[in-house]
Amino acid sequence: MELLQILPNLAIHRTAKLAIMTLLLLEEAWLAWLLPVPWVASMPLTKDLNVAIIDSNPALSSGVSIKKEEPPDPRVSTVTPATISIFKEIGAWKYIEQNRHAYFDKMQVWDYTGLGYTRYNARDANKEVLGCVVENRVLLSSLLSCLQSADFRKTIYPSRLLTLHRNSSSTKVDSHSSGLPLHGQGNLVKLDLIDGSSLHAKLVVGADGSKSRVRELAGIKTTGWNYSQNAIICTVEHAVENQCAWQRFLPAGPIALLPVGDNFSNIVWTMNPKEANDHKMMNGDEFIKDVNHALDYGFGPHPKSSMFGDGGIFSWLKADVTSASEFFEIPPKVIRLVSDRMMFPLSLMHANNYASKNIVLIGDSAHTVHPLAGQGVNLGFGDAFALSRVIAEGIAVGTDIGEVTMLKKFEVERKTANIAMMAILDGFQKAYSVDFGPLNILRAAAFHVAQHVSPLKRGIISYASGEQRLPLFS
């Protein structure tokens, strides 16, 4: 959950790690994370599949404890309208609406130099909301509720994966395995668990986070780098309700303030490792003072309406976008720290391959991104949804669910979408990591264009909402 800026990769890692360590497909079985399970159960072609889930986390059997009277957990995800639609389709969103969550229809992004800002409004792109911030435990609970109510064959193994062997062919499982019969011959994957049991599967879905054991055992290499940045996350309280998502780019990295319901917000603050450690260890009052400093006049002045006037040179591109005329606003003041502060190192990682015969990776197992735009968890949910569709299409034409040519269709589709988003986020991270006069002017110009050029603004909102079209003029 795998999330927003602002918390993407952290969110998806959390959701994947807590929800399912490894997903296995037995015989004609498949499962892409917890997300598509109810959707699969309702489809004629897939509802009879036999699914095994390997995860040592007790939440799978005992459930997730959610106490509404407690402050929000600092581990949250910002889910896009596209992800919300998927959750509604599988019947999980109704469980989220029973718990704390926070829709937001406005977002403000600005630079510490005071040279530029931009505001986004959902109405600019004919949308009701820009997103919804949800605690990861609420996301997990909703998916578990769907899993429990779904009418299909499923077995949960409270264990961990030890070894993985391909090209195993057998008509039955061994004496220590699940006891689920295997009908017919075929190329299977044998999985040995730490409790001594073993399973055979036609397809193994690795959704076990950025340090994926499935990826390691499958021998899939990765490309990436560390950002030399850590993210501090925590829950804070205001005197009034926060109804906007805020993000300010500071010299060491962005700080995000995200509404999570009632008078609470989530902080995601990126900085160098030493500063992050100092801010994690300092007393709460000093930390809150620094947060307000970072969100207000600290590091530089408030932006004016525009350093280039009222957008006159772009006036011919203007349309009836609500936010083009909105002035800069100061975020609500933080009055109290109400959770522990957690710290995570940030990195970019991309698997060279998502799929090989009988094995496929989704979510943080396949890719991690910088959290400055809150997209990591949504990329993971997009993976899960795409994989479910590709497998259903394969079953419809009689394709073996472990066949690499079928799984490569999923890889091609998702690599295109994921790499595009990764490139954008990495570019933003690098562009805002340098404090240099001419570059500051260029960044301010970019803010100005995003604020006043309506087609571009609509494109940015649509792309960030989960549509595949890149934010270009159209």
Side-chain angles (χ1 to χ4, degrees), residues 164-170 185-191 200-202 204 356-359 402:
L164 180 154
H165 307 280
R166 302 196 209 215
N167 299 322
S168 171
S169 182
S170 175
Q185 301 282 340
N187 289 325
L188 305 176
V189 178
K190 181 184 178 185
L191 300 110
H200 292 77
K202 279 196 172 181
V204 178
S356 60
K357 186 171 178 58
N358 304 107
I359 296 174

Side-chain angles (χ1 to χ4, degrees), residues 216-262:
E216 176 188 0
L217 293 174
I220 297 176
K221 304 299 183 181
T222 64
T223 302
W225 48 82
N226 295 322
Y227 282 117
S228 297
Q229 291 178 320
N230 288 354
I232 294 285
I233 65 171
C234 61
T235 303
V236 297
E237 187 177 10
H238 311 281
V240 297
E241 185 175 3
N242 177 27
Q243 298 180 326
C244 178
W246 314 82
Q247 182 161 270
R248 188 187 190 197
F249 286 95
L250 303 175
I255 181 171
L257 182 74
L258 308 172
V260 290
D262 301 325

Side-chain angles (χ1 to χ4, degrees), residues 11 55 90 142 145 172 185 188 248 329 351 415 448:
D55 193 330
I90 65 173
S142 71
S145 296
K172 63 180 182 178
Q185 301 282 340
L188 305 176
R248 188 187 190 197
E329 292 185 15
K415 262 193 174 182
H448 180 74

Side-chain angles (χ1 to χ4, degrees), residues 15 70 72 130 137 172 181 314 343 351 362 364 377 422:
T15 304
E70 293 182 351
L130 295 176
R137 61 186 179 184
K172 63 180 182 178
F314 301 110
M343 183 171 65
I362 64 173
D364 267 18
V377 67
M422 294 174 76

Side-chain angles (χ1 to χ4, degrees), residues 14 28 66 83 89 100-101 133 188-189 225 228 259 284 322 326 349-350 363 367 373-374 398 430 441 474:
R14 181 64 182 174
E28 299 299 320
I66 300 176
T83 296
E89 182 177 346
R100 183 167 41 215
H101 60 287
V133 183
L188 305 176
V189 178
W225 48 82
S228 297
T322 303
E326 291 182 352
M349 181 277 294
H350 191 249
H367 45 77
K430 288 179 168 56
I441 299 295
S474 59

Side-chain angles (χ1 to χ4, degrees), residues 455-468:
L456 177 61
K457 175 168 283 190
R458 285 195 296 268
I460 291 172
I461 293 173
S462 296
Y463 185 63
S465 296
E467 298 178 9
Q468 295 302 306

Side-chain angles (χ1 to χ4, degrees), residues 175-186:
S175 59
H176 297 289
S177 76
S178 64
L180 296 171
L182 295 174
H183 302 292
Q185 301 282 340

